[in-house]
Amino acid sequence: MRIGILSDSHLPGLVRQLDELGPEPGAFFSTVDLILHSGDVTSPTVLDWLEQFAPLLCSTGNNDPISDIRSKDIQMLEKEGWKIGMKHSLVPQSRSMDLLQTIFPAKVNIMIAGHTHEEILEYREGVVFMNSGSITFPRHK
């Protein structure tokens, strides 16, 4: 299974679909089986656009004034033996993995976050921690 992960799309003004950022997002997402957006979507049209490629789950970000059934504060799923928890704002540097585990309703092997706009991929205390950074910031196109 191939999972596409993104966060913090923060699309400005009239930009409502990621293909307006160029051909790369569409080319990539057309190759995945599942899409996880870890918050700060800012427009439900982004979720609509992503859903043309694969099923989608989203965690609600601090800049998401939208109410959408595809988005929850915390998303939990299990895929191919991996227990995945996704929440928009998780700061691993200041907390132990055991403390971060208490945020989720069940223990996870993979934690996915957004919020900082900084890419992180680390394996610590038996847990993979991922933050895809922002698809639009800091370079903003």
Side-chain angles (χ1 to χ4, degrees):
M1 169 172 266
R2 186 174 166 120
I3 300 174
I5 300 171
L6 75 157
S7 181
D8 297 279
S9 43
H10 290 285
L11 291 176
L14 298 175
V15 177
R16 298 288 181 219
Q17 297 179 354
L18 295 177
D19 59 359
E20 294 179 43
L21 301 176
E24 294 86 2
F28 172 73
F29 289 114
S30 67
T31 68
V32 303
D33 304 301
L34 175 66
I35 299 171
L36 302 177
H37 192 306
S38 52
D40 278 0
V41 176
T42 68
S43 173
T45 57
V46 173
L47 301 181
D48 298 337
W49 184 84
L50 287 167
E51 235 175 11
Q52 72 180 310
F53 300 106
L56 168 78
L57 293 174
C58 181
S59 58
T60 306
N62 60 303
N63 287 299
D64 288 331
I66 61 173
S67 177
D68 193 291
I69 61 169
R70 297 167 288 193
S71 188
K72 296 179 185 175
D73 185 44
I74 294 174
Q75 293 281 4
M76 297 288 294
L77 62 150
E78 187 169 341
K79 294 292 178 188
E80 299 190 12
W82 294 93
K83 294 179 177 124
I84 303 168
M86 182 171 64
K87 180 170 176 58
H88 178 63
S89 183
L90 293 171
V91 184
Q93 295 84 352
S94 63
R95 300 181 185 164
S96 72
M97 285 293 134
D98 286 339
L99 185 57
L100 285 174
Q101 288 281 7
T102 64
I103 292 170
F104 299 102
K107 191 170 182 172
V108 297
N109 310 101
I110 300 172
M111 293 181 188
I112 299 173
H115 190 58
T116 65
H117 300 191
E118 296 176 27
E119 298 90 358
I120 298 173
L121 178 59
E122 61 183 36
Y123 182 74
R124 189 162 40 118
E125 299 174 45
V127 178
V128 175
F129 186 91
M130 303 174 73
N131 183 328
S132 64
S134 174
I135 196 167
T136 53
F137 292 116
R139 286 170 257 119
H140 195 56
K141 292 191 183 183

